[in-house]
Amino acid sequence: MKLLAGNSNPPLARAIAEELAAPLTKTQVKRFADNEVFAVIEENVRGEDVFIIQSTSYPANDNLMELLIMTDALVRASARRITAVVPYFGYARQDRKTGGRTPISAKLVANLITRAGADRVLTMDLHAGQIQGFFDIPTDNLLPAPLLAQDIKEQRGGKAASDLVIVSPDVGGVVRARALASRLNADLAIVDKRRSAPGKSEVMNIIGDVSGRRCILFDDIVDSAGTLCNAAQALSEQGAVEVAAYVSHGVLSGPAVNRVEDSVLSEMVVTDSIALSDEALACRKIRTVSIAPLIGEAIRRIANEESVSKLFD
């Protein structure tokens, strides 16, 4: 087994390598003067089972091109099997036509990864589960719920679980929130919102009883943080005694960190699927939970031809 890493999230790649007690394969990923990507694998990978660890987060296009070019290099180096390990799959929010003459970019990116030569994809918490069907190769979509549920128990288990409510920030995330609520034996609430434009939303109603309860907002992506902070404010106004947030992917673009800092949120927990900016790391309300054990175990199971679905239990 060989582990390679692009430039999107070196700390996560190193943590995964430590989990597997396997060193990262020496690789150079550089830029020419005009910003073209150049990659060279500096070790023999002929006949090897290779895993490329590369999130397609900001800058999304650069990181995607790194993934594609590294995959092509491995194909031409005669690697036996290439698995693209993409903890955060960019373009996943463009999974359907939202109007006339609009693209389905998630399908396009899936095609690019497949045509580049990947034999398998390992990712985590896709924005829409059906994106797995966009790939014509085996695709494993890991769920962070067991990891986050354990953190909630450890950090918030001191009080009675009966006052805990898992909240979906929109109707589309109900299935995700219900799965977490089931693991914690907690109640479920839903924020009914209206999205006036991409990145802008308005809370309409709160479905469920949150008065006097501790609320945990659970979502897959926090980008500008507008939806999350608006939902937290609405829950507070409905009588919630505390509002925290757990998020799979902390994109945190633009004014997101400042919004979280100024919001009623007591804490926002994100995984390290995306490397956080210095500003986000310095924010007192943002905490990180590592997915290295989860990704590492999935890689080990794939390499040993064992069941990955056991990780969902």
Side-chain angles (χ1 to χ4, degrees), residues 152-158 214 216 242 244 246 266-267:
I152 292 171
K153 290 176 182 177
E154 292 173 358
Q155 299 296 324
R156 293 174 165 77
R214 290 180 298 148
I216 295 178
E242 180 193 6
Y246 277 72
S266 61
E267 181 182 44

Side-chain angles (χ1 to χ4, degrees), residues 144-153 180 184 218-219 246-248 269-271 289:
L147 198 67
L148 298 181
Q150 183 62 34
D151 186 84
I152 292 171
K153 290 176 182 177
L180 181 61
L184 297 169
F218 183 40
D219 207 357
Y246 277 72
V247 182
S248 302
V269 180
V270 298
T271 75
V289 171

Side-chain angles (χ1 to χ4, degrees), residues 109-187:
V109 172
N111 288 344
L112 289 170
I113 292 173
T114 304
R115 291 299 296 270
D119 299 296
R120 190 180 194 99
V121 170
L122 174 64
T123 186
M124 188 188 78
D125 205 359
L126 287 169
H127 184 62
Q130 63 266 24
I131 293 175
Q132 293 174 83
F134 291 180
F135 289 91
D136 296 325
I137 54 178
T139 303
D140 295 302
N141 181 31
L142 300 178
L143 302 178
L147 198 67
L148 298 181
Q150 183 62 34
D151 186 84
I152 292 171
K153 290 176 182 177
E154 292 173 358
Q155 299 296 324
R156 293 174 165 77
K159 300 178 183 178
S162 59
D163 72 340
L164 197 65
V165 182
I166 305 301
V167 183
S168 172
D170 54 39
V171 175
V174 170
V175 174
R176 182 181 293 104
R178 184 183 291 119
L180 181 61
S182 178
R183 288 181 179 276
L184 297 169
N185 194 28
D187 291 336

Side-chain angles (χ1 to χ4, degrees), residues 88-94 124-128 131 169-170 176 193 195 218-228 246-253 268 270 273-274:
Y88 171 68
F89 182 75
Y91 287 100
R93 285 172 285 182
Q94 299 180 45
M124 188 188 78
D125 205 359
L126 287 169
H127 184 62
I131 293 175
D170 54 39
R176 182 181 293 104
K193 72 176 185 182
R195 188 175 292 279
F218 183 40
D219 207 357
D220 63 325
I221 297 172
V222 57
D223 189 350
S224 63
T227 294
L228 207 65
Y246 277 72
V247 182
S248 302
H249 307 294
V251 177
L252 299 175
S253 59
M268 185 175 75
V270 298
S273 63
I274 298 174

Side-chain angles (χ1 to χ4, degrees), residues 56-77:
T56 53
S57 51
Y58 176 85
N61 299 330
D62 287 358
N63 288 329
L64 176 59
M65 282 305 300
E66 284 188 13
L67 174 61
L68 299 177
I69 289 172
M70 291 173 70
T71 302
D72 184 73
L74 290 169
V75 170
R76 298 176 189 279

Side-chain angles (χ1 to χ4, degrees), residues 120 297-298 300-310:
R120 190 180 194 99
E297 178 62 16
R300 187 192 67 77
R301 287 174 176 269
I302 291 171
N304 294 337
E305 303 294 346
E306 298 176 10
S307 172
V308 176
S309 61
K310 294 282 187 182

